Amino acid sequence: MTAADLSRAGCPVPLAETEKVLLGHGSGGQLSAELLRDVVVPALGAAAAETVPEDAAVVCVDGLDLVVSTDAFVVSPLFFPGGDIGVLSVHGTVNDVAMMGATPLALAVAYVIEEGFPVADLRRVTASVGAAAAAAGVPVVTGDTKVVGRGAADGLFVTTTGLGRRLPGARVSAALARPGDAVLLSGPIGAHGTTILSTREALGFEADIASDTRPLHRLVAAMVAGTGQAIHVMRDPTRGGVASTLNEIAAAAGVGIEIDEAAVAVPAPVASACELLGLDPLHVANEGCLVAVVAPESAEALLATMRATPEGQDAVRLGSVVGEHPGRVVMRTLMGGRRIVDMLVGEQLPRIC
């Protein structure tokens, strides 16, 4: 009896067990989006299906707009120039909360530790968590620790959850980008991803490159205090880089985005590393910059505000939102041409955060 015969007889035909989770499903690009769309979101009910994908969620409690975000960190190696998994876990979650126009208030931290993991390394990571949280002014208030057998984890995985309160006047969402809006970028790109790759593979670039990981909530607070209602979207371009972030915004809002290659700031050592490795800096992960989509009449004022802060001193106008080619990102090249900037496909740099 064929599969068609079984189908006509009303017998279910089991699917072949060929679908597997790939490293690319954690890239923050197209495969990540497909995993969420096809597997995760349908199982979570109508509320999840109707929600625009954001870095965090707004939960209204007794008139208070609270913001919550959770993130898992599996970076390899655990220690790298510019930071470690502990620093990264604090900064990453603080920034995700901030991207909703919120002030982070508290963090929860959970460890999954592999049996045999050196206690000295655990102390070092935990000291980094404490120092980063203290420097950001966001306390760790609760957490959890689990230990699994040898081979069941790769040393140490960290999960952080952040709670914040939305700032007055802040109303941001990827769906709010409008034709005519300006696209701003707070600083140079590509340092974090190239640092992780170079350190992991002992390529030698780490002598000149360090991760850009840092908290961005103070930059966000300054921007919102200046012209909060003019800010329509904020995102930190981590996994998948600036390219994936812009594509997500274009898709969520049903608009096109055009950027200028001349405005894309890539540090010289990062550019050299990307050229040698065949990487597009627009796809490389960042941990210390943000993309903002803002009303055009407020763009220059916001750039001035950003440039007055340590985190945004190199801010630039990257491009504009357009009504043409909805869902697409196009770059005007240095040669005067135009090329489509796609979301990252597959896994360019696995386990970078």
Side-chain angles (χ1 to χ4, degrees):
M1 181 179 287
T2 67
D5 293 332
L6 286 171
S7 178
R8 286 192 293 270
C11 300
V13 181
L15 293 174
E17 290 295 328
T18 56
E19 290 185 306
K20 304 289 184 183
V21 174
L22 308 173
L23 273 176
H25 284 109
S27 68
Q30 289 187 21
L31 288 179
S32 293
E34 291 173 5
L35 188 69
L36 290 173
R37 183 193 67 217
D38 298 338
V39 178
V40 177
V41 171
L44 300 182
E50 295 168 2
T51 301
V52 175
E54 305 282 6
D55 287 333
V58 178
V59 181
C60 187
V61 179
D62 294 333
L64 271 180
D65 284 344
L66 301 179
V67 174
V68 63
S69 180
T70 193
D71 208 347
F73 294 85
V74 297
V75 65
S76 176
L78 298 179
F79 305 98
F80 47 85
D84 59 38
I85 193 172
V87 170
L88 196 62
S89 66
V90 171
H91 292 170
T93 299
V94 163
N95 292 346
D96 282 348
V97 170
M99 291 308 109
M100 296 304 293
T103 296
L105 300 175
L107 294 169
V109 177
Y111 291 161
V112 176
I113 311 166
E114 182 185 12
E115 179 187 14
F117 187 70
V119 172
D121 285 349
L122 186 62
R123 291 185 191 277
R124 183 178 171 188
V125 169
T126 305
S128 291
V129 169
V138 186
V140 176
V141 297
T142 189
D144 189 29
T145 301
K146 295 290 191 297
V147 178
V148 298
R150 294 178 185 272
D154 187 8
L156 175 68
F157 298 151
V158 180
T159 296
T160 46
T161 298
L163 179 69
R165 181 174 61 241
R166 191 154 64 171
L167 293 164
R171 292 294 183 272
V172 297
S173 170
L176 296 181
R178 308 165 186 166
D181 282 352
V183 179
L184 311 182
L185 178 64
S186 68
I189 65 171
H192 178 73
T194 50
T195 297
I196 297 301
L197 178 62
S198 180
T199 306
R200 181 190 302 157
E201 305 299 336
L203 301 177
F205 297 121
E206 66 270 22
D208 302 310
I209 305 172
S211 171
D212 64 340
T213 181
R214 58 183 166 182
L216 298 171
H217 60 306
R218 296 185 180 98
L219 170 61
V220 168
M223 294 170 66
V224 172
T227 49
Q229 294 184 346
I231 305 171
H232 300 156
V233 187
M234 284 189 290
R235 286 289 183 91
D236 57 336
T238 53
R239 292 178 301 164
V242 170
S244 291
T245 294
L246 294 178
N247 274 279
E248 289 169 357
I249 295 169
V255 297
I257 295 178
E258 295 189 355
I259 62 174
D260 293 303
E261 185 176 12
V264 180
V266 183
V270 173
S272 298
C274 288
E275 185 175 358
L276 285 170
L277 298 170
L279 303 177
D280 184 343
L282 289 171
H283 286 145
V284 177
N286 312 276
E287 291 291 345
C289 66
L290 66 80
V291 170
V293 178
V294 307
E297 64 273 13
S298 300
E300 290 305 316
L302 276 165
L303 278 173
T305 297
M306 295 168 75
R307 289 167 180 163
T309 69
E311 302 89 345
Q313 61 185 355
D314 297 315
V316 296
R317 179 167 180 162
L318 186 61
S320 302
V321 178
V322 298
E324 296 78 33
H325 52 81
R328 288 276 190 186
V329 179
V330 174
M331 184 165 70
R332 293 182 285 271
T333 69
L334 294 173
M335 302 299 294
R338 292 160 64 88
R339 74 171 177 91
I340 293 174
V341 178
D342 280 325
M343 183 177 283
L344 178 64
V345 179
E347 182 57 273
Q348 180 175 248
L349 299 171
R351 295 182 59 182
I352 45 81
C353 64

